[in-house]
Amino acid sequence: MSEVVLAAAGLTKHFPVRRRARDLLAGRRRSVHAVDDVDLELRRGRVTAMVGESGSGKSTVARLLAQLYGRTAGTVRLHGKPMTVRSGRRFRAYCGRVQLVFQDPFASLNPAHTVRYHLTRALRLHGRAGSAAAELLERVQLAPPERFLDKFPHELSGGQRQRVAIARALAAGPEVLLADEPVSMLDVSIRLGVLNLLRDLKDRLNLAILYITHDIASARYFADEVLVMYAGRVVEGGDGETVTQHAAHPYTRLLIASAPDPDTIAGRPAAAPAEPAGGEPPSLIDPPAGCRFHPRCPHVMSVCRERVPPRLDVGDRAGHWAACWLYRGDT
Ligand code: SF4
């Protein structure tokens, strides 16, 4: 296994909810439990996919790792060193090593500025003013660069815009890319090209990539490791092939069963949500006790309603685990 670049342990984020009169009277503080107790490791030259329905907390995890949000609890370590940075020079240095690519390239690029401006500004900010914006465009396969440098975002296609956003992230010379649904807003015909680009960059630059997606089929295609997230918690993990071909957690199975044909990423309807059958995800203001999936689970037992299941070895392949009482060995 390659070196761990970025790791999180016990990562937790609760967002306070504005108190209403009855909360004030009862002296009650409520919060959205967006992320609870998430552990993960991002390794050099590997893609880790974080898969889940919208609202499961996966984008919050990306923002916590990017240190755009403060943590409620937990640690983030870069090369083993604990990191808490929110502003100033240390934050900029951290961003130089851990870059976030947003879902919507149109929103993340300033419409008033050219591609050249976006790239040279990023290079300058990260102390790499000597490097050429043209090289970055070649790296993301926008060639010849002269065709793109003086264009404004609205003059580019969605795929070209996302490639420029990726080039801007590369301007910092990062070790980690946090890609938050990087293809979900693109035309189906160009998604595969952008995923292939990310894979190529991962290999050539030895990047550690976190790929956030609601689409388990694309995770199967693209990721080395897969983590499945439900209602703020990670419920299953393992290598991509094992989790997607031999899913252990009842929620992962539902996610796979509800996904369209897994072999046709390029031919899928745009932004198809992975919405499993059998009810809705719970409110995260007052999440269910025990296993958060228990109100929807066809295998629910009494212990599931009372105790949060730990990570348990599934026993089929090394490193495959599920947070599910079905695997505790005595059921
Ligand atoms: Fe279902 Fe219980 Fe497993 Fe949760 S812990 S997924 S409720 S069997």
Side-chain angles (χ1 to χ4, degrees):
M1 274 288 210
S2 56
E3 176 199 3
V4 174
V5 183
L6 191 68
L11 199 60
T12 298
K13 180 67 182 175
H14 296 171
F15 294 100
V17 175
R18 219 170 73 209
R19 295 164 97 194
R20 287 180 289 191
R22 64 166 182 258
D23 297 325
L24 286 169
L25 287 173
R28 194 169 47 197
R29 289 183 186 278
R30 302 193 310 158
S31 55
V32 175
H33 295 229
V35 171
D36 265 312
D37 205 16
V38 167
D39 296 346
L40 61 81
E41 291 180 338
L42 303 181
R43 292 176 181 272
R44 209 178 270 294
R46 309 274 293 175
V47 175
T48 301
M50 181 162 267
V51 187
E53 295 162 280
S54 72
S56 60
K58 53 198 192 304
S59 292
T60 304
V61 169
R63 281 157 180 74
L64 289 167
L65 293 175
Q67 311 248 4
L68 297 181
Y69 294 160
R71 302 184 285 278
T72 303
T75 56
V76 171
R77 291 175 185 269
L78 184 63
H79 292 291
K81 197 168 161 204
M83 288 280 163
T84 302
V85 290
R86 294 307 307 282
S87 60
R89 198 182 296 171
R90 286 188 68 224
F91 179 66
R92 200 173 306 153
Y94 182 84
C95 290
R97 299 169 83 182
V98 180
Q99 279 281 305
L100 184 58
V101 176
F102 292 95
Q103 178 179 22
D104 181 358
F106 204 66
S108 69
L109 298 173
N110 187 331
H113 292 299
T114 62
V115 171
R116 185 191 303 275
Y117 174 90
H118 284 99
L119 299 184
T120 50
R121 182 169 180 274
L123 286 165
R124 206 174 50 243
L125 269 176
H126 293 285
R128 306 178 73 217
S131 308
E135 275 172 35
L136 289 173
L137 287 182
E138 278 171 351
R139 205 170 266 180
V140 297
Q141 296 158 12
L142 288 177
E146 305 75 47
R147 250 186 71 201
F148 300 95
L149 275 169
D150 294 313
K151 292 208 161 154
F152 289 88
H154 74 271
E155 297 177 297
L156 302 171
S157 69
Q160 290 168 343
R161 279 198 291 271
Q162 193 57 298
R163 284 170 191 263
V164 170
I166 293 168
R168 184 178 57 179
L170 296 180
E175 298 175 86
V176 179
L177 268 192
L178 308 169
D180 186 5
E181 301 263 17
V183 297
S184 66
M185 294 194 73
L186 304 183
D187 282 355
V188 290
S189 56
I190 53 179
R191 289 181 189 181
L192 205 53
V194 172
L195 286 183
N196 284 337
L197 167 69
L198 286 170
R199 182 146 64 185
D200 177 62
L201 292 172
K202 173 203 79 165
D203 292 337
R204 278 196 292 144
L205 305 178
N206 215 8
L207 291 172
I209 296 183
L210 179 66
Y211 171 55
I212 304 266
T213 182
H214 61 260
D215 180 2
I216 199 160
S218 69
R220 176 184 300 178
Y221 168 77
F222 180 48
D224 301 296
E225 280 94 36
V226 171
L227 297 170
V228 180
M229 205 158 173
Y230 180 75
R233 291 188 183 276
V234 179
V235 297
E236 181 164 0
D239 71 73
E241 177 79 7
T242 302
V243 173
T244 55
Q245 300 290 346
H246 307 280
H249 196 282
Y251 172 67
T252 313
R253 291 189 195 145
L254 279 173
L255 202 58
I256 290 169
S258 67
D261 185 347
D263 295 324
T264 54
I265 299 164
R268 294 152 61 80
E275 193 70 45
E280 296 289 321
S283 160
L284 294 182
I285 293 181
D286 193 12
C291 171
R292 289 187 181 172
F293 190 59
H294 85 247
R296 300 170 75 183
C297 183
H299 308 286
V300 62
M301 302 168 277
S302 55
V303 64
C304 309
R305 298 189 178 90
E306 291 155 15
R307 292 170 51 203
V308 177
R311 292 184 175 204
L312 296 166
D313 276 347
V314 172
D316 54 353
R317 295 171 197 216
H320 187 198
W321 60 268
C324 173
W325 289 116
L326 288 173
Y327 300 94
R328 67 180 166 180
D330 59 350
T331 48

